[in-house]
Amino acid sequence: MKTGWKLTELFSVYELTAGTYLIAHALILGALVIGIVTGFDWRSLTLFLLAAPFVVAADVVFCCPHCGKSPMRIGLTNRTDDLGDFLSVWRSWPERECSRCGEPLDGL
């Protein structure tokens, strides 16, 4: 008996990555606003630290189902191992089609 849904069955990799990216930036912006208003006390630090799992999820958890590359990375080399992922830079927005294998990431 199936007990629940997988996120990848409900949303595409692009939607999951973009959603976590937006949530992380909203939390960081909220932390800055609360920090400016309250003088950077524990509340702003807590809100800022809550954004960290969303940033990690956008980069590590949600990846191309075919080759495993993160939609938030621009590969600087053609390597497909961990060193190839290490030698990459961040995108400002997730890609809709995997730049390594060409797999569409915005469709289910």
Side-chain angles (χ1 to χ4, degrees):
M1 183 171 160
K2 195 171 186 179
T3 59
W5 295 309
K6 291 182 180 179
L7 282 177
T8 54
E9 291 177 356
L10 298 173
F11 302 102
S12 68
V13 174
Y14 171 76
E15 292 168 338
L16 290 170
T17 306
T20 56
Y21 195 70
L22 288 175
I23 290 170
H25 280 78
L27 288 172
I28 291 169
L29 182 66
L32 287 174
V33 168
I34 290 174
I36 290 170
V37 170
T38 63
F40 293 101
D41 63 350
W42 64 271
R43 289 173 282 217
S44 62
L45 177 64
T46 304
L47 196 57
F48 184 76
L49 291 177
L50 284 175
F54 291 101
V55 172
V56 170
D59 186 43
V60 176
V61 176
F62 305 122
C63 56
C64 175
H66 187 259
C67 70
K69 182 187 150 303
S70 171
M72 292 300 295
R73 297 285 184 150
I74 300 173
L76 298 177
T77 66
N78 290 330
R79 295 182 68 144
T80 58
D81 57 356
D82 291 336
L83 183 61
D85 288 338
F86 179 73
L87 297 173
S88 60
V89 294
W90 275 88
R91 291 183 181 275
S92 58
W93 192 250
E95 58 190 1
R96 290 183 178 265
E97 182 177 293
C98 183
S99 58
R100 184 181 290 166
C101 67
E103 179 83 16
L105 301 175
D106 60 351
L108 292 175

